[in-house]
Amino acid sequence: MAIAREVASVTKLGVEVAIVVGGGNIFRGASWAGCSGLDRSSADYIGMLATAMNAIFLQATMESIGIPTRVQTAFRMSEVAEPYIRRRAVTHLEKGRVVIFAAGIGNPFFTTDTAAALRCAEINAEVVLKATNVDGVYDADLRHNPNARLLETEVS
């Protein structure tokens, strides 16, 4: 609900908002690869499904406070979300709807950070905000590599 309220306050200013959700709170594919015979691709697909669960939950929360929202997924889940179609996403944004992107880019071995950068470029977003448990983008996972370096170069 806190996230929904924060997004609502921004949309009320007339800002178009698109969100890429992760699923690490439910399942983190890279962490499970190799466990019990689970290959990396399968683990990543399960992680993508976790992002869809979070997207549907966020959508329900946002709509409960009156914020029109659409979920678009990188692979088909037509009973619960729209497929990702760039032009449709842009139209939703122009109509004042929040668009929540789920299932990453639909391919294993790519993080939701990759999805965020890609969707940002595709919809011509002006700003990307990263709301995670770390303070930026690193060259390695901070939980596994204490020597990970913060990437300070702006990408344009």
Side-chain angles (χ1 to χ4, degrees):
M1 188 57 77
I3 294 169
R5 284 192 204 107
E6 289 289 329
V7 173
S9 67
V10 172
T11 61
K12 289 176 182 168
L13 298 172
V15 176
E16 296 174 353
V17 178
I19 300 170
V20 173
V21 293
N25 61 314
I26 298 170
F27 188 90
R28 190 171 299 279
S31 301
W32 285 89
C35 296
S36 303
L38 188 62
D39 64 275
R40 174 64 191 266
S41 292
S42 296
D44 283 353
Y45 282 116
I46 295 168
M48 287 180 242
L49 293 170
T51 72
M53 294 168 65
N54 279 337
I56 293 164
F57 183 73
L58 182 58
Q59 178 183 37
T61 304
M62 293 187 63
E63 289 187 343
S64 76
I65 60 171
I67 304 301
T69 309
R70 297 295 184 271
V71 172
Q72 291 193 339
T73 57
F75 49 78
R76 295 199 182 277
M77 296 183 207
S78 58
E79 287 76 16
V80 295
E82 298 177 359
Y84 170 69
I85 299 171
R86 186 189 64 80
R87 291 176 66 116
R88 181 179 265 176
V90 170
T91 298
H92 286 315
L93 292 168
E94 290 169 346
K95 291 183 177 183
R97 299 173 185 136
V98 172
V99 179
I100 303 171
F101 298 120
I105 64 169
N107 298 96
F109 302 99
F110 292 92
T111 67
T112 51
D113 289 348
T114 302
L118 178 62
R119 298 297 182 242
C120 172
E122 290 176 318
I123 65 171
N124 297 313
E126 294 178 17
V127 176
V128 177
L129 304 176
K130 182 175 167 52
T132 62
N133 296 325
V134 294
D135 61 352
V137 177
Y138 288 80
D139 65 351
D141 189 332
L142 279 172
R143 289 169 294 193
H144 302 293
N145 182 355
N147 297 318
R149 290 183 309 112
L150 175 65
L151 301 176
E152 297 184 23
T153 304
E154 181 179 319
V155 178
S156 58

